[in-house]
PDB file of all heavy atoms in Angstrom:
ATOM      1  N   ASP A   7      17.614  43.290 -94.895  1.00  0.00           N
ATOM      2  CA  ASP A   7      16.995  43.602 -93.641  1.00  0.00           C
ATOM      3  C   ASP A   7      16.531  42.357 -92.897  1.00  0.00           C
ATOM      4  O   ASP A   7      16.114  41.305 -93.419  1.00  0.00           O
ATOM      5  CB  ASP A   7      15.732  44.347 -93.905  1.00  0.00           C
ATOM      6  CG  ASP A   7      15.981  45.754 -94.497  1.00  0.00           C
ATOM      7  OD1 ASP A   7      17.191  46.209 -94.314  1.00  0.00           O
ATOM      8  OD2 ASP A   7      15.203  46.305 -95.217  1.00  0.00           O
ATOM      9  N   ALA A  17       0.625  23.042 -94.779  1.00  0.00           N
ATOM     10  CA  ALA A  17      -0.169  22.672 -95.911  1.00  0.00           C
ATOM     11  C   ALA A  17      -0.349  21.194 -96.063  1.00  0.00           C
ATOM     12  O   ALA A  17      -1.009  20.747 -97.005  1.00  0.00           O
ATOM     13  CB  ALA A  17       0.353  23.394 -97.145  1.00  0.00           C
ATOM     14  N   PRO A  46      -5.713  12.352 -93.085  1.00  0.00           N
ATOM     15  CA  PRO A  46      -5.002  11.517 -92.109  1.00  0.00           C
ATOM     16  C   PRO A  46      -3.779  10.816 -92.737  1.00  0.00           C
ATOM     17  O   PRO A  46      -3.894  10.233 -93.783  1.00  0.00           O
ATOM     18  CB  PRO A  46      -6.005  10.534 -91.543  1.00  0.00           C
ATOM     19  CG  PRO A  46      -7.347  11.091 -91.983  1.00  0.00           C
ATOM     20  CD  PRO A  46      -7.123  11.783 -93.205  1.00  0.00           C
ATOM     21  N   ALA A  51       5.625  10.008 -92.389  1.00  0.00           N
ATOM     22  CA  ALA A  51       5.930  10.847 -93.507  1.00  0.00           C
ATOM     23  C   ALA A  51       5.008  10.694 -94.731  1.00  0.00           C
ATOM     24  O   ALA A  51       5.336  10.852 -95.871  1.00  0.00           O
ATOM     25  CB  ALA A  51       7.354  10.654 -93.951  1.00  0.00           C
ATOM     26  N   PRO A  98      -0.737  36.700-103.369  1.00  0.00           N
ATOM     27  CA  PRO A  98       0.395  37.525-103.762  1.00  0.00           C
ATOM     28  C   PRO A  98       1.471  37.656-102.684  1.00  0.00           C
ATOM     29  O   PRO A  98       2.630  38.055-102.996  1.00  0.00           O
ATOM     30  CB  PRO A  98      -0.150  38.868-104.233  1.00  0.00           C
ATOM     31  CG  PRO A  98      -1.446  38.899-103.496  1.00  0.00           C
ATOM     32  CD  PRO A  98      -1.951  37.564-103.334  1.00  0.00           C
ATOM     33  N   ASP A 118       3.257  24.134-113.206  1.00  0.00           N
ATOM     34  CA  ASP A 118       3.308  24.879-114.424  1.00  0.00           C
ATOM     35  C   ASP A 118       3.021  26.422-114.125  1.00  0.00           C
ATOM     36  O   ASP A 118       2.167  27.077-114.724  1.00  0.00           O
ATOM     37  CB  ASP A 118       2.165  24.441-115.390  1.00  0.00           C
ATOM     38  CG  ASP A 118       2.310  24.903-116.788  1.00  0.00           C
ATOM     39  OD1 ASP A 118       3.475  25.325-117.208  1.00  0.00           O
ATOM     40  OD2 ASP A 118       1.207  25.000-117.504  1.00  0.00           O
ATOM     41  N   GLY A 185      26.368  11.909-108.783  1.00  0.00           N
ATOM     42  CA  GLY A 185      25.646  12.929-108.163  1.00  0.00           C
ATOM     43  C   GLY A 185      26.078  13.122-106.746  1.00  0.00           C
ATOM     44  O   GLY A 185      25.852  12.275-105.997  1.00  0.00           O
ATOM     45  N   LEU A 240      21.093  10.982-108.482  1.00  0.00           N
ATOM     46  CA  LEU A 240      20.562  12.183-109.155  1.00  0.00           C
ATOM     47  C   LEU A 240      19.110  12.352-109.081  1.00  0.00           C
ATOM     48  O   LEU A 240      18.369  11.329-109.093  1.00  0.00           O
ATOM     49  CB  LEU A 240      21.083  12.105-110.596  1.00  0.00           C
ATOM     50  CG  LEU A 240      22.559  12.325-110.888  1.00  0.00           C
ATOM     51  CD1 LEU A 240      22.958  12.159-112.304  1.00  0.00           C
ATOM     52  CD2 LEU A 240      23.057  13.762-110.484  1.00  0.00           C
ATOM     53  N   ARG A 344      19.477  35.655 -95.141  1.00  0.00           N
ATOM     54  CA  ARG A 344      20.589  34.743 -95.567  1.00  0.00           C
ATOM     55  C   ARG A 344      20.073  33.760 -96.607  1.00  0.00           C
ATOM     56  O   ARG A 344      18.910  33.435 -96.743  1.00  0.00           O
ATOM     57  CB  ARG A 344      21.169  33.955 -94.332  1.00  0.00           C
ATOM     58  CG  ARG A 344      21.834  34.912 -93.401  1.00  0.00           C
ATOM     59  CD  ARG A 344      22.512  34.078 -92.297  1.00  0.00           C
ATOM     60  NE  ARG A 344      21.418  33.509 -91.363  1.00  0.00           N
ATOM     61  CZ  ARG A 344      21.402  32.198 -90.884  1.00  0.00           C
ATOM     62  NH1 ARG A 344      22.382  31.402 -91.309  1.00  0.00           N
ATOM     63  NH2 ARG A 344      20.467  31.905 -90.078  1.00  0.00           N
ATOM     64  N   VAL A 353      14.816  26.547-113.398  1.00  0.00           N
ATOM     65  CA  VAL A 353      14.938  26.289-114.859  1.00  0.00           C
ATOM     66  C   VAL A 353      15.031  24.821-115.182  1.00  0.00           C
ATOM     67  O   VAL A 353      14.225  24.316-116.027  1.00  0.00           O
ATOM     68  CB  VAL A 353      16.201  27.065-115.304  1.00  0.00           C
ATOM     69  CG1 VAL A 353      16.459  26.675-116.878  1.00  0.00           C
ATOM     70  CG2 VAL A 353      16.113  28.536-115.259  1.00  0.00           C
TER      71      VAL A 353
END
Side-chain angles (χ1 to χ4, degrees):
D7 294 338
D118 197 25
L240 289 172
R344 294 183 288 136
V353 175

